[in-house]
Each structure stands twice: as C-alpha cells, then as structure tokens.
Amino acid sequence: MKLMTMPSEFQKALPILKKIKEAGYEAYFVGGSVRDALLERPIHDVDIATSSYPEETKTIFSRTVDVGIEHGTVLVLENGDDYEITTFRTEDVYVDYRRPSQVSFVRSLEEDLKRRDFTVNALALDDNGQVIDKFTGLKDLEQKRLRAVGSAQERFEEDALRIMRGFRFAASLDFEIEEATFDAMKSHSFLLEKISVERSFIEFDKLLTAPHWRKGISAMIACQAYQYLPGLKNQEVALKQMTGSLSNAFTFTDNHQAWACLMINLEVGNPKQFLKAWKTSNDFQHCVTNLVTLYAIRQERPFQKSDIYRYGEKLAVLVEELRQAQGFEVDMTRIGQLNQALAIHDKHDIAINGSHLIQTFGMTPGPQLGHMLAKIESAIVEGRLDNDPVMINTFVREELAK
Ligand code: ATP
Ligand code: MG
C-alpha cells in the first residue's frame, strides 16, 4: 500500500531519510507516527529507524546529540527540527520483565519491526510513501484491532508494560483487543507487579485522559490487571462505578481531574499517599489532593469566594465539570463571578505587609504577626475589609484592642 499524500510532518523529515539512503543505508518512518498518519490522526513525534549503526549515523549529519546511544538512538538537529534516529535492533532475553538485558543492532528492518508491541505499531513507511507491513498491521488498522506482534504470550512475558500499553491504545484509538492477545494480557497481568511504577503510571495516565478511557478501564477490569497496580487491588466495583457514573460523552479535561475522579470513586482517604505509591511528583499530588478536597466542599454547599481564593478558578471549574458529568446541578458562571469579585488573588496583593505591622504597631515577628496577617487576608477575601492601608490599620487597631 502507498500513502498518497504524506503528512507535512513527514514531508519535512524526508531530507533526513534521503541523506541516510545516499550514505548507503536504509531508513524509514516507524511506530506511532505511521499508524496515526494512516488513521488520519494528528502526528506527534516522527520516529526514524535506520540500518546505519549509531556511529555511522553520526558521520552522516553535522549536528547530532547522543541521547540514548546505548539503545541506538541519535538525535539529529536539522533545519531547526530534531529527530530521533534509532538503529534497527532486536531486544534479547528479558530477565526482570522490565527491560531487555541486551540490545543488539541489526541491519534488517523486519527484525526491528518484530520486537514492537502491536501490529499497528509495527508498520514502516519509506521515502516514497510505500507502507511496509510485515505483520498484518494494515488489516488490523482497518478492522480497528489491537494484535500483538507474533506470540502474544511471549511478547507480554518479555515486557509486561505492553499489557498496560494495550489498555492505553484501546482507549486512545477505540480499538478492540484481538482474542489471543486479550487472553495473553489476562494470563500475564500478574507480571504488572514487576514493572516499574513510573512506566505503568505513564500508560495509565494516558489511558485516563484518552477519548475512550472507559474502554481502557473495562479491558483492565476484564483482565483483572487492576489487581497488580498500586492501590487498585480488589477495586473492581469502584472502577466499574467510575466508568458508569459519568455521562457517556464525558472525557477528562486533564489528568488532575481524571486522577481526582479515580480518588473520589475509590473513596481514597489519603490521596497524597495513594499517588505517592504511583511515584508521582509532589506538584501532581498537591493538585489532585486539592481537587478532591474542593470536590468534597462543593458536594456540601455552593462555592464561596474563599474557596476560589484558596484553590483557584481553574480547579473549581474542574470540580464543577465532574459534578455536571454526574448530573448534579452546577453553576459555572458563579465561579467566574466569585473570581472577578475577589479583591485580592494572592497574599502579596494585600496593601500592607508584615514589616508595615511591625513599624506601625510595634508588633514583633512571630506567630502573632502571622495570625494577624491571616485575619487581614480572610477579611479582605470575604469582603469584610477593603484592601486599603487606612482601612487595614483601623482593622488591626480594633483587633489588637480585643
Ligand atoms: P504515542 O502516539 O502515544 O507516542 P507510539 O506508538 O508512538 O504512541 P511510543 O511509546 O512513542 O508509542 O513508542 C514508539 C514505538 O515504539 C511504538 O509504536 C512501538 O512500535 C514501539 N514500542 C514502544 N514501547 C514498546 C514496548 N514496550 N514494547 C514493544 N514496542 C514498543
Ligand atoms: Mg510516539
């Protein structure tokens, strides 16, 4: 099969393929970008595979960076863009189900395609737009089917992350998982315990924010894979509830919202600890925890100015979207109005500061000063006090006289 019109991302990278070919080697576009081009989906990274060894690739281009030379990847900088060029390789013996114990460079494209996870990810495209399809990838693309390359059992045993990737691709592409592939995912799910949590997180995170996230979670439930992921053991009911409780068309606005929704459905008491087990960043833990707290507040009562001040307009909107998707009454305009009506958005916006209190009132640095500043801050936020130095002085005087 020939791709009639090459997407502009490929057009732009064609000179790279040509240069490698002129030097006497083979070069192809491979992986997700070829799949997405054929599905007429937007393309992100254009990956290039070549028969030239890394040291050879480096002599072809004037500007290169060794980004992962031990895996055969060289970054080439050309015409203001950069491209990852990876030598055809096979991955031998996986000892810990995580990473190949040895990567061998080879000169054969077919060998390289053979080690890829799913047939739709094992397509290559040459500089003439010709698709190289060694493993029924085109047929599977057409039939919207995820099928492991070669023996599914072996492929998941080699690298169990492929099981997570399978759920993720089902969710992002809206593909069905072929039977033998599905059976192997199911029988090898227990290996998910062995793979690094960081890698699982990336795939699960992509799954949750994908358009067909319900499909991904359902496949995960059907395979019992959740049993082997942090914090999800025995959580089938809660996971099912999550897929069923939100309106059909609903997709998550961002990953914070998605993980907060997961926390809410699992009724996680300590989201920070849960997310720590997934080895997420402090910022991520903080944001999701705030969302869960704000959601609980909103389930009790309408938002107040102080909520918007403390948690921000953006989180409030994310909470309201979650409520809306569950059929609760919502008031999006109120969030904007409350935000607009806030006299300050940050404590640095307060018309006075600590040293002013020290100079004017002879206060000393310490808890009492912090306490007074907090009082001023909430009075301004709640609209009981104007953010004006004179008014604030009067307020402080009254407070000190109490
Ligand atoms: P995305 O659109 O999310 O980037 P992708 O298919 O490009 O999806 P990547 O993770 O970027 O996925 O990997 C690029 C390619 O490398 C895949 O298409 C696949 O051929 C191969 N690949 C990646 N991870 C694995 C893996 N764990 N096992 C086998 N092949 C893999
Ligand atoms: Mg990719």
Side-chain angles (χ1 to χ4, degrees), residues 32-33 44-45 47:
S33 59
H44 14 272
D45 16 278
D47 292 325

Side-chain angles (χ1 to χ4, degrees), residues 31-32 35 44 115-117 121 159 162 165 168-169:
R35 175 199 70 219
H44 14 272
R115 57 126 186 134
R116 293 176 183 268
D117 49 6
N121 288 345
D159 181 5
R162 292 170 186 156
R165 287 174 60 84
R168 190 260 282 196
F169 287 118

Side-chain angles (χ1 to χ4, degrees), residues 293-361:
T293 309
L294 191 58
Y295 179 86
I297 291 172
R298 178 65 181 102
Q299 292 297 83
E300 294 296 318
R301 58 162 173 76
F303 283 132
Q304 293 171 358
K305 272 193 199 169
S306 55
D307 303 323
I308 310 300
Y309 176 74
R310 177 150 181 208
Y311 297 101
E313 186 179 16
K314 200 174 146 226
L315 289 203
V317 170
L318 292 174
V319 162
E320 210 66 341
E321 285 172 357
L322 274 185
R323 279 174 55 85
Q324 188 166 41
Q326 293 171 90
F328 295 117
E329 46 84 26
V330 292
D331 192 349
M332 290 290 182
T333 48
R334 181 181 168 89
I335 297 172
Q337 283 163 355
L338 290 173
N339 190 48
Q340 289 261 308
L342 281 177
I344 55 170
H345 287 87
D346 186 281
K347 57 166 157 276
H348 301 292
D349 297 341
I350 301 174
I352 59 100
N353 56 20
S355 45
H356 170 89
L357 294 183
I358 294 165
Q359 279 163 21
T360 315
F361 298 98

Side-chain angles (χ1 to χ4, degrees), residues 168-342:
R168 190 260 282 196
F169 287 118
S172 59
L173 303 171
D174 193 16
F175 276 27
E176 300 302 326
I177 302 168
E178 175 269 332
E179 206 181 325
T181 303
F182 181 85
D183 289 347
M185 282 166 98
K186 200 169 171 180
S187 59
H188 288 75
S189 270
F190 72 97
L191 290 175
L192 287 175
E193 261 175 0
K194 307 218 179 234
I195 62 169
S196 88
V197 174
E198 291 91 337
R199 289 176 86 205
S200 286
F201 174 82
I202 293 171
E203 297 302 332
F204 193 31
D205 192 64
K206 285 185 179 176
L207 184 165
L208 289 172
T209 48
H212 306 277
W213 61 275
R214 288 179 187 76
K215 191 172 240 173
I217 293 196
S218 300
M220 203 173 203
I221 293 173
C223 287
Q224 301 244 319
Y226 60 91
Q227 299 286 27
Y228 309 100
L229 294 169
L232 297 182
K233 197 167 175 59
N234 299 329
Q235 292 292 1
E236 174 165 355
V237 175
L239 287 169
K240 272 202 176 126
Q241 177 185 301
M242 178 167 165
T243 60
S245 65
L246 300 157
S247 59
N248 284 339
F250 182 78
T251 57
F252 295 104
T253 300
D254 66 13
N255 61 346
H256 298 121
Q257 189 188 46
W259 284 83
C261 184
L262 181 68
M263 299 297 92
I264 292 163
N265 278 281
L266 296 177
E267 296 179 21
V268 171
N270 186 344
K272 203 167 168 65
Q273 199 183 337
F274 184 101
L275 296 169
K276 226 179 190 153
W278 279 90
K279 304 212 174 149
T280 54
S281 70
N282 279 330
D283 279 355
F284 186 78
Q285 292 166 18
H286 181 71
C287 185
V288 175
T289 304
N290 275 349
L291 262 174
V292 174
T293 309
L294 191 58
Y295 179 86
I297 291 172
R298 178 65 181 102
Q299 292 297 83
E300 294 296 318
R301 58 162 173 76
F303 283 132
Q304 293 171 358
K305 272 193 199 169
S306 55
D307 303 323
I308 310 300
Y309 176 74
R310 177 150 181 208
Y311 297 101
E313 186 179 16
K314 200 174 146 226
L315 289 203
V317 170
L318 292 174
V319 162
E320 210 66 341
E321 285 172 357
L322 274 185
R323 279 174 55 85
Q324 188 166 41
Q326 293 171 90
F328 295 117
E329 46 84 26
V330 292
D331 192 349
M332 290 290 182
T333 48
R334 181 181 168 89
I335 297 172
Q337 283 163 355
L338 290 173
N339 190 48
Q340 289 261 308
L342 281 177

